[in-house]
Amino acid sequence: MIEYLITYESNNRYEEQVQEAFFEFLVAPHENDTQRIVNEKNTHSVEGTSFYTKNIFSYKRYCLRLATPFNTLDFRYECVMLKKQDTYFPSMYDMLPPEDEIQMLDSETFQIENYPFLNQTYLTDISKSEVPENMLKTSAMPLLEYIHQLNQRIHSYLNYRSNVTTPFTSARETLIRQLGVCQDYAHFMIGILRSQLIPCRYVSGYLHQGQNTIGAGQMHAWVEVLFPKYGWLGFDPTNNLLADHHYLKISDGQDYQDCRAINGFIKPGTVNYTEYAVSVVDQ
C-alpha cells in the first residue's frame, strides 16, 4: 500500500457580506477495496455547524451551515490515505467474446440496469453521426481494445488548454474547438461512448503529482467504462493512461455536475470568487 497525504484548500471571497450560507464539500476520497482513509480533518475560517452526509450516488460529503456574517471563507481538507499499489488490468482473455459483449450491451435488461450511465446529459450530448468515424466502435472489435484506442485518439485529437473553457462547456463544443482541460476530455469521451450505448461515468478525484502528468496539482477528471460481466475500469484520455494507483477517486456521476467539489447557497446572493489548491504527495 502507498501512503498519500492529500490537501485540498479553497478560498472563497464575496463582494457583499454573506449573512447565511450552506455548503457541501465533495472532496474526501472514496473508500473501497483499493483505497482507505487513515485519518482526515476539515478546518474553516468561519464557525458553523457541520456534519457528514452522502450524495445520491452514496459518496461522502462534508456539510457546513454558517449563520455568522462573513466576506471570505477559507476551507481546508486534509487526509492521510492508503492506496493499493498493485493495480490489476485485465486482458482480452478476461472479457466476454465480442459477439457476447454486443448481445449483452444490446439487451434490454442490461440497458435498464445501467440507464443513468447510458443517458446523455447537456454536458455530454453528442450524436453518433457527429463523432469522427475513427472514434467509433466496429462490431467485430472487442470492447477493451476499442476503449484503449479511443483513449489514445481523444488524447491526440484534443489540445490541453486551460482558461478557454468553463465547467459548463459541452462535449459538442469540445468536438468543434478541440481544446480544453481534463473535464472536457472526460465529457467528450463519455459523449462518444453513450452515443453507442456503452455505459460510462464521469469520475472526479486527485492525481499524484509525482507522475508529471497533465492535471496533477488540481482536481482531476477521468472516465470509467462498464465492461459486461467484468465491471468498471478507469481510463484517463487527458494523459492516455489507465487509472492506476496514482488516481485517487472521490466520486462519480453522470457528468461534472454530480461531482462538483463545492455546492451550496448563500444569502443574500452576491458575486463570488473561488481559488483552490491541491497537493498530493506520497510519504
Side-chain angles (χ1 to χ4, degrees):
M1 301 287 274
I2 303 176
E3 185 175 278
Y4 287 111
L5 173 62
I6 300 172
T7 305
Y8 169 94
E9 294 177 291
S10 69
N11 172 260
N12 308 276
R13 295 179 290 114
Y14 303 89
E15 285 193 352
E16 297 180 25
Q17 190 175 66
V18 176
Q19 301 297 320
E20 184 178 7
F22 180 80
F23 295 102
E24 298 169 343
F25 295 92
L26 191 58
V27 296
H30 177 55
E31 295 191 84
N32 56 28
D33 292 341
T34 68
Q35 57 184 46
R36 176 168 60 86
I37 295 174
V38 178
N39 60 62
E40 62 184 346
K41 181 172 63 176
N42 295 287
T43 57
H44 31 86
S45 59
V46 181
E47 289 298 319
T49 303
S50 63
F51 58 93
Y52 279 105
T53 184
K54 292 185 177 180
N55 70 6
I56 60 170
F57 294 101
S58 297
Y59 291 103
K60 185 171 75 173
R61 57 189 177 187
Y62 180 73
C63 298
L64 179 61
R65 185 181 186 283
L66 304 174
T68 304
F70 64 93
N71 285 93
T72 63
L73 171 65
D74 296 325
F75 174 80
R76 178 185 174 93
Y77 172 79
E78 182 178 298
C79 80
V80 175
M81 68 168 296
L82 299 176
K83 179 75 178 184
K84 187 177 180 182
Q85 184 171 4
D86 299 323
T87 306
Y88 173 72
F89 290 108
S91 69
M92 304 294 182
Y93 299 104
D94 298 309
M95 302 295 174
L96 290 174
E99 58 273 20
D100 293 344
E101 279 184 337
I102 292 173
Q103 184 177 5
M104 193 161 179
L105 287 169
D106 290 343
S107 76
E108 185 176 1
T109 302
F110 184 80
Q111 291 182 6
I112 291 174
E113 287 176 351
N114 298 290
Y115 176 77
F117 303 112
L118 288 167
N119 191 30
Q120 295 279 29
T121 69
Y122 166 75
L123 291 174
T124 68
D125 191 22
I126 302 178
S127 67
K128 190 175 178 181
S129 62
E130 296 174 283
V131 177
E133 189 172 349
N134 69 348
M135 293 188 187
L136 293 173
K137 183 181 180 302
T138 62
S139 58
M141 183 181 290
L143 182 58
L144 183 60
E145 180 183 342
Y146 166 64
I147 301 299
H148 279 296
Q149 285 190 12
L150 182 62
N151 204 40
Q152 191 277 323
R153 284 175 178 162
I154 290 175
H155 175 72
S156 300
Y157 182 77
L158 300 182
N159 297 292
Y160 191 91
R161 190 82 56 83
S162 57
N163 301 318
V164 296
T165 59
T166 75
F168 307 105
T169 299
S170 69
R172 183 169 286 114
E173 293 174 276
T174 301
L175 169 68
I176 296 168
R177 300 173 66 184
Q178 296 181 231
L179 296 171
V181 294
C182 58
Q183 66 196 25
D184 302 306
Y185 283 69
H187 285 149
F188 185 46
M189 185 170 182
I190 290 169
I192 292 171
L193 293 172
R194 289 182 184 163
S195 76
Q196 302 170 90
L197 293 180
I198 298 170
C200 54
R201 58 195 185 191
Y202 183 100
V203 183
S204 172
Y206 302 106
L207 181 55
H208 177 213
Q209 278 102 325
Q211 295 305 295
N212 296 319
T213 41
I214 298 171
Q218 51 193 299
M219 302 289 280
H220 194 57
W222 60 96
V223 177
E224 288 183 341
V225 181
L226 181 58
F227 292 82
K229 294 293 186 184
Y230 186 85
W232 295 95
L233 288 175
F235 297 82
D236 177 8
T238 307
N239 291 291
N240 187 25
L241 292 173
L242 301 172
D244 62 6
H245 56 275
H246 298 290
Y247 291 77
L248 312 173
K249 179 175 177 175
I250 296 173
S251 65
D252 63 56
Q254 287 185 296
D255 60 26
Y256 164 80
Q257 294 283 29
D258 291 330
C259 302
R260 297 177 64 168
I262 306 177
N263 266 312
F265 69 85
I266 56 173
K267 290 183 179 179
T270 182
V271 177
N272 71 287
Y273 306 92
T274 299
E275 296 176 344
Y276 73 91
V278 168
S279 172
V280 180
V281 294
D282 56 348
Q283 302 189 105

